[in-house]
Amino acid sequence: MAVTKLLIDEFITLSKQHPVFDVRSEGEYEYAHIPGAYSLPLFNNDERKIVGTAYKQESKQKAIKIGLKYFGVKMVKMVEAVEKLTASNESKTVLVHCWRGGMRSAGVAWLLDLYGFKVYTLVGGYKVYRNWVLKQFEQDYPLQIIGGYTGSGKTEVIQELSNRGELIIDLEGLAHHKGSAFGALGQPPQPSQEMFENLLATEINTKANLLTSDKVIWLEDESQRIGEVNIPTAFFKQMRTKKVFFLDIPFDERLQYILQGYGKFSKEYLVNAIIRIKKRLGGLETKTAINCLIEDDTIGCFAILLKYYDKGYYAGSQKRENPDQLIHKIPCNSVDAKTNAIKLLQ
């Protein structure tokens, strides 16, 4: 079987059916990769540097000889790794890519083809994939934004909508962060900015392909920055032009919800989170909030913080063009995902 070269759109389509193997170094893969791809490095980090240096300072032929030396001793293990990961894949079809669709993917594709796999490679490699990612953010989508002050349970409403068959994108889930100074508590490490973009582009593309005339894509209203990652500017600007359905929930209901979610964390973690927003919160309010924690007045502490975040959210929401026309308030009695999701759909 001959190795088949694919353009990016064909590659993306087939990647939903067959395993993708990223033959870049482990460092390149760990920083960012195509979501769902397996790491199958032809060269490790050190070997890649040596081959690259030989290519630049000596010659292409010298680099190839060094590369073949590294490749030769890995061939059997690489084939066995792919065999193991494709054991349930009766078609024995695999997709392979490197950074630019060059010698690394060509070498591994040759090996797997020789062994009997049907192999597809990506023309232009991961570099072309990144261009595809950025283009996803520039297209227009039928978005509906769920707004509401901190503690409104917007993420839970998003998930409830998904349970009811609606199309959703969970930005905070992709970012591994809840969006506030406390947003990292209880979350896994955040992805790199590039990996966040890859994950978001995959979600957008997947949901866009499921759209019908009566469907929209629901997202939570966010600041552009979510912890250490940023929503791509083109997509964020689009979000700011869409209708916002604001869950208008009483302060005390939201305060109780926040207490349930964050009150379980240690005082040390909470104090550190408060200190991170000291400049914006103000010295007096920071001191008062920390003193409340020390004196076991968790309600008093979170009441101060909730008022701070309410002011910030309101100020941010008004930065849209024509906010009075875009923001539609939905009165809600409590933080109840099922009830509030039904109200949204009605």
Side-chain angles (χ1 to χ4, degrees):
M1 292 183 284
V3 174
T4 304
K5 295 182 179 181
L6 297 177
L7 298 177
I8 184 61
D9 289 332
E10 298 171 296
F11 191 90
I12 293 294
T13 299
L14 274 186
S15 71
K16 298 172 183 177
Q17 305 167 35
H18 304 291
V20 177
F21 291 93
D22 184 336
V23 302
R24 299 175 303 153
S25 68
E26 66 271 31
E28 293 171 286
Y29 176 88
E30 287 167 6
Y31 180 71
H33 53 268
I34 297 175
Y38 297 103
S39 179
L40 187 73
L42 174 59
F43 305 132
N44 63 31
N45 295 334
D46 293 334
E47 291 166 348
R48 173 175 168 251
K49 290 178 182 177
I50 293 170
V51 172
T53 300
Y55 188 92
K56 290 178 181 179
Q57 297 183 0
E58 297 184 58
S59 67
K60 177 181 177 180
Q61 288 69 31
K62 179 66 175 179
I64 290 174
K65 287 179 181 179
I66 295 173
L68 287 172
K69 180 181 177 182
Y70 292 140
F71 187 22
V73 296
K74 298 177 183 177
M75 286 183 176
V76 173
K77 287 186 178 180
M78 291 182 80
V79 167
E80 289 176 344
V82 175
E83 264 191 320
K84 184 177 180 180
L85 290 167
T86 59
S88 61
N89 182 358
E90 293 183 5
S91 69
K92 297 300 178 185
T93 299
V94 296
L95 283 70
V96 174
H97 77 85
C98 60
W99 166 237
R100 286 184 295 192
M103 287 186 285
R104 285 188 286 180
S105 58
V108 175
W110 165 82
L111 173 65
L112 297 179
D113 172 68
L114 181 68
Y115 191 73
F117 288 97
K118 175 54 189 170
V119 185
Y120 294 92
T121 58
L122 174 59
V123 175
Y126 180 77
K127 186 176 182 180
V128 163
Y129 168 75
R130 280 293 298 165
N131 290 333
W132 176 88
V133 164
L134 298 177
K135 286 180 181 177
Q136 304 311 302
F137 306 134
E138 296 170 356
Q139 300 177 45
D140 188 54
Y141 304 98
L143 307 178
Q144 300 273 40
I145 311 299
I146 300 175
Y149 291 129
T150 298
S152 296
K154 298 185 289 292
T155 300
E156 287 73 12
V157 170
I158 284 278
Q159 295 304 327
E160 181 60 28
L161 289 172
S162 178
N163 295 340
R164 292 173 178 272
E166 297 295 316
L167 302 178
I168 65 107
I169 294 176
D170 182 1
L171 293 168
E172 292 183 355
L174 297 177
H176 297 168
H177 199 281
K178 296 295 185 181
S180 70
F182 303 88
L185 296 178
Q187 297 291 313
Q190 286 199 266
S192 67
Q193 176 65 32
E194 188 171 304
M195 189 63 204
F196 174 68
E197 291 172 2
N198 292 353
L199 291 165
L200 178 55
T202 298
E203 275 291 283
I204 291 172
N205 180 257
T206 299
K207 299 304 163 64
N209 287 332
L210 296 173
L211 281 169
T212 55
S213 59
D214 61 337
K215 286 285 187 181
V216 297
I217 301 174
W218 294 92
L219 300 96
E220 183 176 341
D221 193 18
E222 298 283 356
S223 300
Q224 185 169 8
R225 189 174 184 85
I226 308 176
E228 296 299 319
V229 300
N230 290 281
I231 300 171
T233 299
F235 190 67
F236 181 71
K237 285 182 177 178
Q238 181 181 165
M239 289 175 61
R240 301 291 282 183
T241 67
K242 303 297 183 178
K243 285 185 179 179
V244 179
F245 295 90
F246 183 92
L247 303 176
D248 194 6
I249 301 173
F251 182 90
D252 287 342
E253 292 290 328
R254 293 186 288 112
L255 179 57
Q256 290 302 316
Y257 175 80
I258 289 291
L259 285 169
Q260 291 173 17
Y262 292 109
K264 62 187 177 184
F265 292 103
S266 72
K267 290 180 181 179
E268 180 184 356
Y269 283 133
L270 296 175
V271 167
N272 287 337
I274 293 170
I275 290 172
R276 282 199 294 274
I277 57 171
K278 180 179 179 180
K279 287 184 180 179
R280 288 170 288 161
L281 183 59
L284 179 60
E285 293 287 60
T286 299
K287 182 178 179 180
T288 304
I290 292 175
N291 284 340
C292 285
L293 268 184
I294 294 171
E295 295 170 3
D296 293 323
D297 181 11
T298 312
I299 294 177
C301 172
F302 278 101
I304 292 170
L305 297 172
L306 198 54
K307 289 175 184 175
Y308 159 76
Y309 278 112
D310 283 359
K311 289 178 182 177
Y313 182 91
Y314 178 78
S317 70
Q318 296 304 301
K319 291 179 181 178
R320 292 176 169 84
E321 289 188 21
N322 303 315
D324 293 338
Q325 296 179 24
L326 289 177
I327 300 174
H328 304 268
K329 285 191 176 183
I330 300 178
C332 301
N333 296 324
S334 63
V335 186
D336 184 310
K338 289 185 177 181
T339 300
N340 296 343
I342 292 170
K343 286 190 175 187
L344 281 174
L345 294 175
Q346 291 176 342

